[in-house]
């Protein structure tokens, strides 16, 4: 449905995106993850046709009706819906009037437009607020209207640029339900986010970007397999732990400390946990609490890029 | 062209603007109120010119100086307040009068001797309010007229029927040319008849016509600023991203802003002039087609000005401040506050490169001056040329790509 092939973009001689390729199939949600400055926004801008690529191409559609964005911009754009990170709606226009405007931009009019507006509002749970202005909406409702504005022309591909920023948990769950509903309808969804739990809940595949390049692209299961440690230990300890020395202990992977919180990957929980406790006691660190868990996508990201997602 | 998209964008802008009560008040009520004020103080409804307040101190008290003082006081152009020198100078300093004239001791005799024998002239001090210096010329001119008349009368009396208090130096005779009958001595050899130079004799000048042209132009340009700032805000809010992601051309996107801005300006101008005509009795005494043509050309100028602001502006806040300053300079030089004929000659010529000058002059020509369509052609052409220039610069400078990290 959506394919980016070898995209490159530089600003002032600095490569922001370098040879980026990705695909999103029908009925699939692909997460695009990366820290600030990784090149996600430029990638999204190129996929939407907002910014021209220096090299590479973007294709939309299946084999039979495949369109190159740079050659058939208007036809390709008709198949793409964009949900910008910012609230891109007119606060002083009614909810339905907003959607009618955005539908009209895609050439829709009359009964078809009204039908599509009603369907989009129903999908995001705002059918009963069609005549109200967004300035009277809660933050979550505005976010849902922001999504509906991208759906009104019934695109095959939807690109979400961090659509849940500043949204309360209840509204976030409602948005997730909307996205899952769209996936069930066979839409191709590209989803950029800073939130690992969102990617873990929603995404079938994850593309991890850093310094303008794709450093990993796989299913969640595939990404977890890349980790040297599949379990994590989290301890509350006294004092500053010598992380270099700890990292050389058998079975310990990439220990980190944030205040009293010590975290490390372990390959064999049964053997490594007692050895770690002994090592800490021998080095004068009292342990107040210990817990274990499965490695998370955050650990995958840390393993691949050497930094936290929100660095 | 995607006409559906174009119309939807234009309609959206119009709905957003006209549903914003604050913007409407600013764009309609403010120009009407200020134009009414300016119109009232700049001659609207005046049947005759106002009198000029002056002070007069006669330190000579001779027959000539008394005759001058009497003539000045009788002059309908003056509202005279008399007193000693200190009192009338204080009046001028306090701004209570525009100028104070002090006739020095010996004025009558010295003036007569200077006239007939080339002796030293007396010095008449005219203390004037520097904030109202334009009155100085008028005061000097009328004072000269009254002094010459008084001297003439005095000399005519000395050489003919005899005039009290007039004695000539020993051995001096009055030339025949001066010793003429009293009635014609040094009086103006003509009289004037004031005729208002308006559309026709039966249609007196209405000062509101100019002030409504000026304030209408100013506040509609302010609306144009909002068009430009609106685009900058749309960019900041991400709305621009959504619009650009749609299958519409750049020309359609910018064109919709020009069309909606021009329509808004046209509607505002119509409402402002409706108030001017309905309440303040401003008339379109010239060509109605010319008036409509100038209004349309100015509306296009307004929207292209807005687009220019959007193209060269950075942040909405900083851009609004700079654009308001630029607009105020333009309307000031365009004669929107005071008529451009008050400007010095070099500025009258220089201000021809300011589009507002053509708008204000054009609207004046079609309203109170009562000129025909041929007088509207140059303003329309110049306003359209400026619109094209602004739009071209805007398209050239418009940043379509937003740098990303």
């Amino acid at each position: 449905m959506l394919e980016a092939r070898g995209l490159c973009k530089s600003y002032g001689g600095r490569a922001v995106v370098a040879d980026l390729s990705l695909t999103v199939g029908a009925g699939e949600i692909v997460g695009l993850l990366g820290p600030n400055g990784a090149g996600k926004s430029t990638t999204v801008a190129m996929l939407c046709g907002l910014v021209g690529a220096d090299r590479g191409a973007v294709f939309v559609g299946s084999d039979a009706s495949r369109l190159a964005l740079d050659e058939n911009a208007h036809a390709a754009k008709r198949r793409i819906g964009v949900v910008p990170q910012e609230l891109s709606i007119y606060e002083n226009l009614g909810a339905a009037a907003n959607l009618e405007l955005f539908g009209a931009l895609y050439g829709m009019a009359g009964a078809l437009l009204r039908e599509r507006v009603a369907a989009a509002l129903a999908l995001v749970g705002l059918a009963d607020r069609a005549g109200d202005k967004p300035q009277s909406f809660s933050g979550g409702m505005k976010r849902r209207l922001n999504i509906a504005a991208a759906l009104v022309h019934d695109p095959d591909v939807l690109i979400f640029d961090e659509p849940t920023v500043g949204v309360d948990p209840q509204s976030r769950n409602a948005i997730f339900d909307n996205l899952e509903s769209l996936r069930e309808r066979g839409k191709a969804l590209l989803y950029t986010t800073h939130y690992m739990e969102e990617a873990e809940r929603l995404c079938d595949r994850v593309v991890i970007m850093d310094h303008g390049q794709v450093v990993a692209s796989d299913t969640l299961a595939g990404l977890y397999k890349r980790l040297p440690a599949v379990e994590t230990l989290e301890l509350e300890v006294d004092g500053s732990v010598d992380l270099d020395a700890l990292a050389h202990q058998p079975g310990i992977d990439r220990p980190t400390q944030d205040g009293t919180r010590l975290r490390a990957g372990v390959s064999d929980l049964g053997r490594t946990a007692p050895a770690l406790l002994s090592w800490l006691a021998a080095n004068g660190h009292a342990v107040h609490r210990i817990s274990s868990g499965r490695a998370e996508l955050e650990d995958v990201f840390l393993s691949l890029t050497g930094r936290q997602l929100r660095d | 062209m995607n006409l559906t998209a174009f119309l939807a964008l234009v309609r959206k802008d119009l709905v957003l603007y006209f549903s914003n009560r604050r913007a409407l008040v600013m764009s309609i009520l403010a120009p009407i109120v200020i134009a009414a004020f300016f119109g009232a103080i700049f001659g609207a409804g005046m049947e005759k010119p106002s009198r000029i307040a002056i002070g007069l101190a006669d330190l000579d008290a001779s027959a000539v100086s008394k005759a001058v003082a009497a003539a000045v006081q009788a002059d309908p152009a003056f509202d005279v307040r008399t007193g000693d020198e200190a009192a009338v100078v204080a009046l001028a300093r306090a701004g209570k009068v525009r100028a104070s004239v002090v006739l020095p001791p010996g004025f009558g005799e010295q003036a007569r001797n200077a006239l007939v024998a080339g002796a030293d002239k007396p010095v008449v001090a005219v203390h004037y309010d520097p904030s109202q210096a334009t009155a100085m010329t008028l005061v000097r001119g009328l004072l000269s007229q009254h002094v010459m008349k008084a001297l003439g009368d005095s000399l005519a009396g000395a050489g003919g029927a005899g005039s009290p208090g007039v004695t000539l130096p020993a051995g001096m005779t009055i030339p025949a040319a001066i010793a003429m009958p009293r009635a014609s001595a040094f009086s103006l050899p003509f009289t004037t008849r004031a005729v208002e130079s308006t559309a026709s004799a039966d249609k007196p000048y209405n000062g509101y016509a100019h002030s409504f042209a000026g304030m209408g132009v100013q506040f509609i340009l302010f609306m144009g600023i909002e068009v430009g700032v609106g685009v900058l805000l749309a960019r900041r809010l991400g709305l621009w991203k959504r619009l650009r992601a749609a299958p519409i051309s750049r020309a359609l996107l910018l064109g919709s802003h020009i069309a909606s801005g021009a329509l808004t300006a046209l509607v505002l101008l119509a409402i402002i002039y409706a108030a001017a005509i309905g309440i303040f009795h401003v008339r379109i005494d010239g060509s109605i087609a010319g008036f409509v043509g100038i209004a349309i050309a100015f509306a296009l100028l307004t929207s292209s000005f807005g687009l220019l602001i959007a193209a060269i502006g950075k942040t909405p806040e900083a851009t609004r401040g700079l654009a308001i300053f630029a607009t105020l300079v333009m309307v000031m030089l365009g004669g929107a506050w005071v008529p451009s004929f008050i400007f010095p000659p070099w500025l009258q010529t220089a201000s021809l490169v300011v589009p507002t000058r053509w708008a204000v002059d054009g609207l004046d020509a079609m309203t109170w001056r009562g000129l025909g369509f041929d007088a509207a052609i140059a303003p329309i052409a110049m306003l359209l040329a400026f619109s094209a220039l602004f739009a071209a610069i805007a398209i050239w400078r418009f940043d379509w790509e937003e740098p990303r990290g």
Side-chain angles (χ1 to χ4, degrees):
Chain A
M1 277 290 202
L2 176 68
E3 181 185 358
R5 196 184 293 166
L7 290 181
C8 297
K9 186 71 184 176
S10 297
Y11 288 113
R14 185 175 65 91
V16 178
V17 175
D19 196 26
L20 180 138
S21 297
L22 61 80
T23 58
V24 186
E28 186 181 34
I29 301 179
V30 173
L32 182 62
L33 276 66
N36 287 332
K40 299 191 304 293
S41 293
T42 302
T43 301
V44 167
M46 287 191 283
L47 294 175
C48 302
L50 299 178
V51 170
D54 296 338
R55 281 205 310 279
V58 176
F59 301 95
V60 186
S62 54
D63 290 341
S65 60
R66 194 174 156 92
L67 294 169
L69 187 59
D70 58 344
E71 291 171 3
N72 296 288
H74 286 190
K77 281 180 171 181
R78 280 199 172 82
R79 298 181 178 183
I80 301 174
V82 182
V83 181
Q85 183 179 340
E86 306 90 347
L87 279 172
S88 307
I89 49 176
Y90 291 96
E91 297 264 350
N92 295 319
L93 283 183
N98 261 286
L99 301 196
E100 284 168 7
L101 165 67
F102 294 122
L105 297 184
Y106 289 81
M108 302 174 75
L112 175 64
L113 177 60
R114 287 192 293 276
E115 185 184 310
R116 287 299 314 155
V117 166
L121 286 172
L123 181 72
V124 298
L126 291 173
D128 58 335
R129 303 294 300 269
D132 295 343
K133 293 178 179 175
Q135 60 190 7
S136 66
F137 288 3
S138 68
M141 291 164 74
K142 289 179 185 177
R143 284 281 165 193
R144 282 187 274 150
L145 183 62
N146 200 33
I147 292 173
L151 303 177
V152 70
H153 63 287
D154 196 22
D156 298 327
V157 175
L158 282 153
I159 298 174
F160 295 84
D161 190 5
E162 306 199 26
T164 58
V165 171
V167 171
D168 61 87
Q170 192 180 352
S171 294
R172 183 174 295 191
N173 284 333
I175 290 172
F176 290 167
D177 291 344
N178 295 154
L179 299 184
E180 285 166 343
S181 169
L182 290 166
R183 172 169 56 190
E184 285 165 14
R185 296 180 189 194
K187 307 293 184 188
L189 283 78
L190 181 71
Y191 189 92
T192 77
T193 182
H194 267 118
Y195 300 112
M196 283 298 180
E197 63 274 19
E198 289 189 357
E200 290 189 295
R201 171 176 166 178
L202 285 173
C203 298
D204 303 300
R205 285 192 299 118
V206 171
V207 174
I208 296 178
M209 283 187 76
D210 198 22
H211 300 299
Q213 293 180 308
V214 173
V215 294
S217 175
D218 208 336
T219 60
L220 287 172
L223 288 173
Y224 285 129
K225 282 181 188 169
R226 299 184 186 202
L227 282 171
V230 293
E231 301 286 343
T232 58
L233 272 178
E234 193 170 305
L235 307 95
E236 194 177 311
V237 299
D238 286 341
S240 177
V241 176
D242 182 348
L243 295 176
D244 286 339
L246 179 57
H248 285 91
Q249 297 304 305
I252 299 291
D253 182 59
R254 301 174 193 271
T256 59
Q257 187 173 14
D258 181 10
T260 60
R261 182 171 167 259
L262 177 68
R263 202 159 186 267
V266 291
S267 52
D268 185 339
L269 190 62
R271 287 184 185 175
T272 311
L276 174 60
L277 291 172
S278 299
W279 186 89
L280 288 169
N283 285 277
H285 299 291
V287 176
H288 302 291
R289 192 180 63 81
I290 181 166
S291 62
S292 66
R294 195 172 64 87
E296 296 169 350
L297 199 49
E298 184 81 42
D299 301 294
V300 176
F301 190 85
L302 186 65
S303 164
L304 289 167
T305 67
R307 12 182 212 157
Q308 301 279 347
L309 185 58
R310 279 173 238 182
D311 277 353
Chain B
M1 187 176 78
N2 183 345
L3 191 62
T4 305
F6 181 80
L7 293 177
L9 286 168
V10 171
R11 188 174 61 231
K12 174 261 298 176
D13 285 343
L14 294 178
V15 168
L16 286 176
Y17 188 82
F18 286 101
S19 63
N20 185 341
R21 287 182 192 168
R22 197 174 297 173
L24 271 185
V25 167
M26 191 64 187
S27 299
I28 296 174
L29 205 56
I32 291 173
V33 169
I34 297 175
F37 173 74
F38 274 117
I41 63 171
F42 282 130
M46 287 185 187
E47 293 180 357
K48 56 185 178 182
S50 61
R51 302 173 78 188
I52 298 170
I54 65 166
L56 178 67
D58 180 7
L59 307 185
D60 185 27
S62 65
V64 171
S65 68
K66 284 178 181 171
V68 170
V72 167
Q73 286 177 294
D75 193 323
F78 291 131
D79 176 15
V80 183
R81 297 169 72 173
T82 56
D84 60 21
E85 181 175 12
V88 298
V89 169
L91 284 174
R93 189 170 297 155
K96 302 275 175 61
V97 296
R98 294 198 183 188
S100 283
V101 178
V102 180
L103 302 177
F107 167 76
E109 188 176 350
Q110 289 173 27
R112 191 186 62 237
N113 292 343
L115 182 67
V116 299
D120 288 343
K121 298 174 182 175
V123 177
V124 176
V126 182
H127 301 263
Y128 69 98
D129 179 350
S131 69
Q132 304 186 63
T134 49
M136 179 67 178
T137 309
L138 184 62
V139 171
R140 240 185 336 220
L142 290 175
L143 182 64
S144 302
Q145 178 189 327
H146 293 309
V147 169
M148 292 302 286
K149 176 77 165 52
L151 279 174
D153 289 348
S154 165
L155 292 171
S163 182
V166 177
T167 53
L168 294 177
M172 183 174 285
T173 58
I174 300 172
I178 295 176
M180 58 186 68
R182 172 187 288 255
S184 60
F186 294 112
S187 64
L188 284 175
F190 60 88
T191 58
T192 58
R193 180 170 59 92
V195 181
E196 284 190 351
S197 193
T198 57
S200 64
D202 60 333
K203 294 175 179 173
Y205 173 63
N206 182 337
Y208 292 111
H210 176 77
S211 59
F212 268 88
M215 290 303 111
V217 163
Q218 175 173 315
F219 280 87
I220 288 170
L221 280 177
F222 283 165
M223 184 282 295
I225 293 173
E226 293 310 311
V227 170
V229 170
V231 173
L232 291 174
L233 277 172
R235 293 183 83 139
R236 174 187 283 181
L237 297 174
L239 275 163
W240 194 251
K241 221 181 276 182
R242 196 188 282 288
L243 297 175
R244 294 254 356 261
I248 56 175
S249 66
R250 295 173 177 185
L252 186 145
L253 196 48
L254 292 186
S256 71
H257 280 288
I258 288 183
S260 60
L263 277 173
T264 306
L266 209 52
V267 170
L268 291 179
L269 197 64
I271 294 171
I272 290 168
Y273 265 95
I277 292 167
I279 303 169
F280 299 96
H281 311 298
V282 170
R283 298 174 312 276
I284 301 172
D285 288 331
S287 162
I288 290 176
F291 180 86
V292 171
I294 291 169
I296 291 172
F298 175 66
L300 285 169
L301 176 90
T302 300
S303 56
S304 60
F305 175 62
L307 208 58
L308 180 66
I309 288 167
I312 62 179
K314 300 295 179 195
T315 66
E317 295 80 8
T319 301
R320 181 180 278 121
L322 277 173
I324 287 174
F325 174 73
T327 302
L328 290 176
V329 170
M330 275 205 299
V331 297
M332 179 181 69
L333 294 177
W337 295 348
V338 291
S340 53
F341 61 75
I342 288 177
F343 298 165
W346 67 268
L347 189 55
Q348 290 191 36
T349 305
S351 63
L352 289 172
V353 300
V354 180
T356 45
R357 168 81 188 273
W358 294 95
V360 174
D361 283 0
L363 292 171
D364 276 353
M366 296 303 110
T367 51
W368 67 269
R369 289 191 191 280
L371 301 181
F373 185 79
D374 55 339
I377 292 172
I380 290 172
M382 289 304 293
L383 288 170
L384 291 178
F386 275 111
S387 304
L389 178 68
F390 287 174
I393 296 173
I395 291 165
W396 169 49
R397 289 292 307 271
F398 207 91
D399 182 14
W400 289 97
E401 288 209 352
E402 294 163 55
R404 293 287 176 178

